[in-house]
Amino acid sequence: QVQLVESGGGTVETGGSLRLSCAVSGYRAGRRCMGWFRQAPGKEREGVAAISAGSNTYYSDSVKGRFSISQDNAKNTVFLELNSLKPEDTAMYYCAEDFVIHRCDWILDNSDALKHWGQGTQVTVSS
């Protein structure tokens, strides 16, 4: 069974940075995509960044140029570097993954299709 555990959230001031981690365990095979998603209170879940097994990366327009997704395959860990943070980045951040036949940017708009999710880590940006 695949398990994902996020860490690294916290409270920072506007313009600050954080690094989120997502540790993945369990058997995984096939063409898998991993992504980071966020959900603020009263808002829909939003796809933030995605990465393929071959480390192709994709970003939503709202974070492009500020966030960076990467992975350490040896440690089965995916990272999300958050820079130039804004108050509107405040949300619960989740990592998720699954086998996907599409290019991995597809998951940013189709997160309901992903079966494996972490418990989330809170990011709060103060103004």
Side-chain angles (χ1 to χ4, degrees):
Q1 184 172 348
V2 178
Q3 292 185 320
L4 293 81
V5 179
E6 302 97 334
S7 61
T11 299
V12 296
E13 293 183 347
T14 297
S17 298
L18 283 173
R19 189 190 197 206
L20 307 183
S21 299
C22 175
V24 186
S25 61
Y27 178 73
R28 303 158 70 217
R31 182 177 173 177
R32 311 191 80 84
C33 298
M34 290 206 64
W36 284 94
F37 303 83
R38 65 186 182 185
Q39 188 165 23
K43 294 189 177 182
E44 292 187 357
R45 187 166 60 202
E46 174 190 14
V48 172
I51 189 166
S52 70
S55 294
N56 294 313
T57 58
Y58 309 92
Y59 300 93
S60 67
D61 289 341
S62 61
V63 307
K64 198 173 294 182
R66 300 189 298 122
F67 291 9
S68 177
I69 188 171
S70 61
Q71 61 189 353
D72 183 336
N73 289 326
K75 296 182 179 180
N76 287 331
T77 303
V78 175
F79 304 98
L80 185 68
E81 192 83 29
L82 293 69
N83 298 309
S84 302
L85 282 163
K86 306 174 182 179
E88 52 264 43
D89 294 318
T90 295
M92 185 71 79
Y93 283 71
Y94 301 89
C95 63
E97 72 95 55
D98 209 337
F99 172 80
V100 176
I101 63 171
H102 306 282
R103 196 176 70 179
C104 287
D105 56 343
W106 179 86
I107 69 173
L108 297 181
D109 294 320
N110 296 277
S111 61
D112 287 347
L114 303 177
K115 288 193 296 291
H116 306 122
W117 290 82
Q119 82 289 351
T121 187
Q122 177 69 36
V123 172
T124 302
V125 184
S126 60
S127 57

